[in-house]
Amino acid sequence: METPTANLNRWPGKQRRIGVMTSGGDAPGMNGAVRAVVRMSIAQGCECYGICEGYEGLVRGGDLIKQMYWDDVRGWLSEGGTLIGTARCKAFMERPGRLRAAKNLVTRGINALIICGGDGSLTGADLFRSEWPGLLEELVRKGELTEEQVTPFKHLNIVGLVGSIDNDMSMTDATIGAYSSLGRICQAVDFIEATAFSHSRAFVVEVMGRHCGWLALMAGVSTGADFVFLPEHPPSVEWEKQMCHIISEHRRLGKRKTTVIVAEGAHDLQLNKISPAKVKDILSNELGLDTRITTLGHVQRGGTACAYDRLLSTLQGVEAVEAVLEATPETATPMIAITENKITRKPLMDAVRKTHAVAEAIKAKDFDKAMNMRASEFEEYYRAYMTTTSTDQPDMLLPAKKRLRIAIVHVGAPAGGMNAATRAAVAYCFTRGHKPIAIHNGFPGLCRHHDDKPLGAVRDLHWLEVDSWVSKGGSEIGTNRGLPSEDMEKTAYCFGKYKFEALFVVGGFEAFTAVSELRKARDKYPAFRIPMTVLPATISNNVPGTEFSIGSDTCLNALIDYCDAIRQSASASRRRVFVVETQGGRSGYIATIAGLSVGAFAVYTPEEGIGIKMLSRDIDSLREGFAKDQGQNRAGKLILRNEHASETYTTEVIANIIREEAKGRFESRFAIPGHVQQGGIPSPMDRVRAVRLAVKCMQFLEDFAGKSPEVIKDDPMSAAVIGIQGAKVIFSPMEVLEREQTDWKQRRPKREFWLDLKSVVDTLSGRPPVTSK
């Protein structure tokens, strides 16, 4: 089978045979990782071998180790579990088993292994590598292999990918499968809460996590649960009273439903297990609540991977192959990790040791150490959860002179997570003593309807009103694309009339523009000399100062669900190409990331444009691909086109050109999902990041409390954008972003971090290199 044209080959002539295997518990996204490893290996001129059934296949060899070709992994991104299998293997735990595994690799000519699994699987892999020279010597000594056979294989390179739904590996923010599992939990809890509300019931939900409470914590943050139990941070000595106090206070405020999330490894400070049954009995006996228990079990592990896990597994699979090709005999075994938004390499055994140290710290009752050894964002999420779940915390109240009247406004198109951010901001305000004020329907609502009777656009927000917003899509306070400049005089008048002392803006490029206008108008209008911050929320992910916008993940999940259904139709008829139009404004982020997540043949973006030569090369490649198709399944093709990629070559025009040039050899259709990409329930990632970033924004604003308007006006940081940049969450001053980082004409950042990913899409699809002109 021919090797597709490689356009990422940075190691010409460096031939490797790379083995790939999955081990331990299955996790959504493992198939995406295997697909990326296979195709990236082939694109780099290497051979790739799939090792079926994990370490069992490595030990038994034979047909369980097989060469994998380009089309073998077609369609794998949308499959759950692991298609090359995984199994427990006692034989590999003993040296004789590892001896057989070494012999199998040498006889197959495999000199590198990429393993996707949990900490146990990766620990076994590193042990295997450390024993490798001794294993080869023993095989030669016993006469099972000759010196000539083993000479080319003196060194075995191993790279680890972490596949685990528990997200329990240290030194990485996320493991493959964790966010897919969190999605199953959130969906279940969202459904449960509907019946809980109907009957005014309490539900105790048990989730996975024996030594790691990530799933329980993130489920609590994502669903607005009343209480969570984690292994790393047990509740206080009198946790029964604390839980009952919080829940009874919520009930007193009018809340009809109660949700408690319990990790399977939850315990108290003395390591006594806290079971769902025990929690149920307390809620029933102490508070008189009609309480039910739901144990989600293995439903958390199944199903297809979410958009984030498809992207993560793909990029980490590509990085793993690069790590293999760059490795030397002295290179320590790397683990491919992610920190915030950046793919990184970390020493595998350092990560494993830290992971084991967390469990040891828990066993030793050193819970502060256990929390500190988790990723930094874990403790941030925990603090954010505790701050926003219970507003009755007198010790957290600020002095009266430090309390602010904080206006909250949504600007631009709706995006998943806007409401979650607002809920978190409001809860934080109540905990600290601030006054949260909603500006309904954006700046036009403020100017035109601020004093309407009986209900104006400027309204105080209340805890019970916002508590259920965490899982709601759209914008509960309304959003509008209108800018302050449409009536700056009236905007300033309203700011003064309602005595706004800080402004929290949630939205996309229009929100960015609005705060820019307000900042520039401070000289003329003293009412704008207040701290302001923008929390980027837009499906387009085109706000300067950040690599991630709230709502983009929800959009990607909606889009890949749509594309999976379209691909099914395309594959049913085999010889069909679908051209799918994506939203995203003048940024090709959504099209590109969705293209990686669904395995698109090509992606057309505004940044690159579309030319006749590009279309001609793509049609030729499609024609050649379908001509070679010998009846394989999943043979349908997808092309994603951003809505502004070209004024001439529209989605329909491209589909018609392809159909015409196909000359009956294959078919072409177009599909436009439209506003389906904006709607729906926010994804867990958008929810949790909305909460975390909103709390940070509130903390940022309250740092200006007590400062004079003149001091605020002269401080560049008093108008800022919060964003994820590489491995950090930072606030960037508007003044700098406006001047240095914004392409105002195209409504996007000047430097878009994801542009290099276009070549990854092309490489993994086998698309030949093209130019737009």
Side-chain angles (χ1 to χ4, degrees):
M1 187 169 292
E2 291 185 1
T3 299
T5 303
N7 50 5
L8 281 186
N9 195 344
R10 291 179 282 152
W11 300 276
K14 191 164 186 177
Q15 174 76 31
R16 292 284 178 92
R17 283 188 176 181
I18 300 173
V20 61
M21 57 182 275
T22 54
S23 181
D26 64 295
M30 281 183 164
N31 292 320
V34 173
R35 171 185 178 271
V37 169
V38 169
R39 291 197 168 181
M40 188 64 178
S41 298
I42 295 171
Q44 298 299 342
C46 302
E47 294 178 359
C48 191
Y49 287 77
I51 300 169
C52 301
E53 311 304 337
Y55 284 112
E56 184 71 20
L58 199 60
V59 173
R60 289 169 54 189
D63 292 339
L64 294 179
I65 301 177
K66 59 182 181 181
Q67 186 171 359
M68 299 191 74
Y69 298 95
W70 192 268
D71 287 333
D72 291 341
V73 292
R74 179 187 288 173
W76 280 31
L77 275 167
S78 59
E79 297 288 341
T82 166
L83 293 175
I84 60 174
T86 180
R88 297 187 182 279
C89 181
K90 291 183 178 180
F92 190 80
M93 298 172 67
E94 304 295 335
R95 185 176 175 86
R98 296 192 290 275
L99 198 66
R100 292 199 299 276
K103 181 179 179 180
N104 287 329
L105 290 184
V106 172
T107 54
R108 291 300 185 100
I110 297 171
N111 53 14
L113 272 181
I114 296 174
I115 300 173
C116 184
D119 64 315
S121 300
L122 299 182
T123 300
D126 193 72
L127 173 64
F128 188 44
R129 180 188 176 179
S130 67
E131 291 183 344
W132 183 256
L135 293 172
L136 296 190
E137 289 176 8
E138 187 174 342
L139 288 168
V140 172
R141 190 170 62 249
K142 289 182 174 181
E144 295 189 38
L145 294 174
T146 66
E147 188 65 40
E148 290 74 19
Q149 283 180 296
V150 303
T151 297
F153 303 97
K154 289 296 187 181
H155 304 286
L156 176 69
N157 291 121
I158 290 180
V159 178
L161 300 174
V162 191
S164 167
I165 67 167
D166 293 336
N167 200 18
D168 55 355
M169 182 67 83
S170 296
M171 300 177 69
T172 185
D173 286 348
T175 57
I176 295 169
Y179 274 98
S180 297
S181 179
L182 180 61
R184 308 282 179 272
I185 295 169
C186 290
Q187 183 182 50
V189 174
D190 288 345
F191 291 169
I192 286 168
E193 287 193 337
T195 189
F197 181 90
S198 300
H199 297 275
S200 192
R201 282 178 178 154
F203 273 85
V204 182
V205 182
E206 185 180 50
V207 302
M208 288 185 173
R210 190 167 297 121
H211 300 296
C212 180
W214 187 87
L215 283 174
L217 175 59
M218 294 304 177
V221 173
S222 302
T223 63
D226 298 87
F227 208 81
V228 298
F229 291 94
L230 319 174
E232 301 92 336
H233 200 297
S236 62
V237 174
E238 296 185 330
W239 64 267
E240 298 93 337
K241 290 182 180 179
Q242 181 191 14
M243 179 181 69
C244 289
H245 171 75
I246 291 174
I247 291 173
S248 60
E249 181 64 16
H250 290 175
R251 290 280 174 162
R252 184 188 66 80
L253 291 170
K255 191 172 182 180
R256 283 179 55 86
K257 57 185 174 61
T258 296
T259 306
V260 177
I261 308 289
V262 182
E264 63 178 326
H267 49 75
D268 63 18
L269 290 169
Q270 300 305 316
L271 303 183
N272 298 309
K273 182 174 177 58
I274 296 177
S275 67
K278 184 172 185 177
V279 176
K280 173 187 179 294
D281 290 343
I282 292 169
L283 297 180
S284 298
N285 299 332
E286 299 297 325
L287 298 182
L289 297 177
D290 183 5
T291 308
R292 300 286 192 274
I293 294 174
T294 297
T295 300
L296 296 180
H298 281 73
V299 71
Q300 299 162 80
R301 196 179 287 281
T304 60
C306 67
Y308 181 79
D309 279 328
R310 296 189 191 194
L311 174 65
L312 180 66
S313 62
T314 297
L315 296 183
Q316 289 192 337
V318 168
E319 182 72 13
V321 175
E322 294 184 349
V324 163
L325 295 176
E326 292 175 358
T328 67
E330 294 74 33
T331 304
T333 302
M335 176 190 81
I336 310 302
I338 184 166
T339 305
E340 296 297 352
N341 222 34
K342 185 178 179 62
I343 301 294
T344 58
R345 300 178 195 174
K346 300 290 178 67
L348 172 62
M349 290 316 297
D350 286 358
V352 169
R353 278 190 289 271
K354 286 189 175 183
T355 301
H356 292 168
V358 174
E360 292 165 5
I362 293 172
K363 188 176 180 180
K365 304 179 186 177
D366 191 347
F367 303 114
D368 288 339
K369 180 179 179 181
M371 287 293 286
N372 290 334
M373 296 190 75
R374 288 290 182 213
S376 58
E377 70 168 17
F378 185 88
E379 190 162 359
E380 268 191 54
Y381 277 119
Y382 180 78
R383 289 197 301 269
Y385 172 76
M386 294 306 296
T387 302
T388 56
T389 190
S390 174
T391 58
D392 182 22
Q393 302 183 59
D395 58 317
M396 293 194 66
L397 283 172
L398 291 170
K401 64 181 180 180
K402 291 283 189 179
R403 301 176 189 176
L404 299 171
R405 290 174 57 82
I406 301 178
I408 302 172
V409 62
H410 295 176
V411 180
M418 278 183 158
N419 293 319
T422 303
R423 174 190 178 275
V426 171
Y428 183 88
C429 284
F430 285 131
T431 299
R432 302 287 277 169
H434 303 304
K435 186 75 170 177
I437 304 159
I439 298 175
H440 286 255
N441 301 313
F443 287 103
L446 174 68
C447 295
R448 301 170 193 165
H449 305 291
H450 67 94
D451 57 355
D452 283 4
K453 305 298 180 185
L455 204 59
V458 181
R459 308 175 205 165
D460 292 347
L461 286 163
H462 305 284
W463 182 85
L464 184 63
E465 176 187 6
V466 304
D467 181 60
S468 62
W469 288 7
V470 68
S471 60
K472 289 189 176 181
S475 168
E476 289 295 301
I477 64 173
T479 185
N480 196 297
R481 295 180 185 272
L483 298 171
S485 56
E486 294 176 11
D487 194 341
M488 195 67 81
E489 194 82 33
K490 190 63 169 290
T491 302
Y493 166 78
C494 291
F495 271 49
K497 177 178 180 178
Y498 295 101
K499 300 178 181 178
F500 297 155
E501 295 174 311
L503 180 66
F504 178 45
V505 185
V506 184
F509 199 87
E510 289 86 359
F512 177 84
T513 306
V515 172
S516 173
E517 291 180 353
L518 295 173
R519 185 195 69 79
K520 293 174 181 176
R522 281 171 165 173
D523 285 336
K524 185 176 181 180
Y525 300 104
F528 300 149
R529 297 170 188 174
I530 61 175
M532 310 172 186
T533 186
V534 178
L535 172 52
T538 167
I539 69 168
S540 303
N541 198 26
N542 63 339
V543 178
T546 188
E547 296 175 2
F548 179 88
S549 298
I550 303 302
S552 58
D553 187 67
T554 300
C555 172
L556 285 168
N557 278 289
L559 191 54
I560 67 166
D561 286 345
Y562 184 91
C563 287
D564 282 350
I566 290 290
R567 183 187 286 280
Q568 193 175 59
S569 171
S571 298
S573 59
R574 289 203 304 115
R575 298 176 180 276
R576 179 172 290 177
V577 179
F578 266 95
V579 185
V580 180
E581 181 174 296
T582 74
Q583 292 187 339
R586 298 192 178 278
S587 169
Y589 171 82
I590 287 295
T592 301
I593 303 304
L596 274 174
S597 302
V598 300
F601 167 74
V603 172
Y604 300 143
T605 65
E607 289 84 356
E608 187 179 26
I610 306 174
I612 192 65
K613 288 185 178 179
M614 175 187 287
L615 288 175
S616 177
R617 290 290 298 274
D618 286 343
I619 292 170
D620 286 344
S621 181
L622 287 169
R623 190 184 294 116
E624 291 170 10
F626 281 119
K628 295 173 184 175
D629 176 19
Q630 299 300 316
Q632 294 103 324
N633 60 354
R634 307 185 180 98
K637 303 285 187 182
L638 289 180
I639 294 174
L640 302 189
R641 175 195 174 274
N642 170 277
E643 58 190 340
H644 293 297
S646 171
E647 293 182 5
T648 303
Y649 298 107
T650 65
T651 304
E652 185 174 2
V653 165
I654 291 173
N656 289 340
I657 290 174
I658 293 173
R659 184 186 306 113
E660 179 68 22
E661 293 297 319
K663 306 298 184 184
R665 294 187 181 93
F666 54 92
E667 299 177 353
S668 178
R669 301 283 190 273
F670 72 95
I672 303 177
H675 283 72
V676 166
Q677 299 163 77
Q678 289 185 13
I681 297 172
S683 71
M685 170 167 281
D686 278 332
R687 297 190 210 181
V688 298
R689 283 191 167 174
V691 171
R692 180 190 180 201
L693 298 180
V695 168
K696 280 183 170 289
C697 286
M698 294 299 103
Q699 294 167 340
F700 174 83
L701 293 173
E702 71 183 11
D703 283 345
F704 289 89
K707 295 185 179 181
S708 69
E710 286 303 316
V711 169
I712 292 172
K713 170 180 170 291
D714 294 336
D715 187 345
M717 288 300 298
S718 64
V721 176
I722 190 172
I724 295 174
Q725 295 185 26
K728 298 179 180 178
V729 176
I730 63 174
F731 285 90
S732 302
M734 283 293 309
E735 185 179 355
V736 174
L737 294 177
E738 295 162 10
R739 183 177 65 250
E740 300 177 4
Q741 298 186 28
T742 305
D743 182 341
W744 290 98
K745 182 179 179 181
Q746 300 298 334
R747 292 167 51 86
R748 64 192 185 213
K750 286 182 179 178
R751 294 177 293 277
E752 296 177 288
F753 79 98
W754 53 267
L755 286 175
D756 290 342
L757 299 181
K758 278 283 278 95
S759 58
V760 180
V761 176
D762 294 343
T763 296
L764 297 185
S765 70
R767 183 191 185 200
V770 293
T771 57
S772 59
K773 303 299 181 185

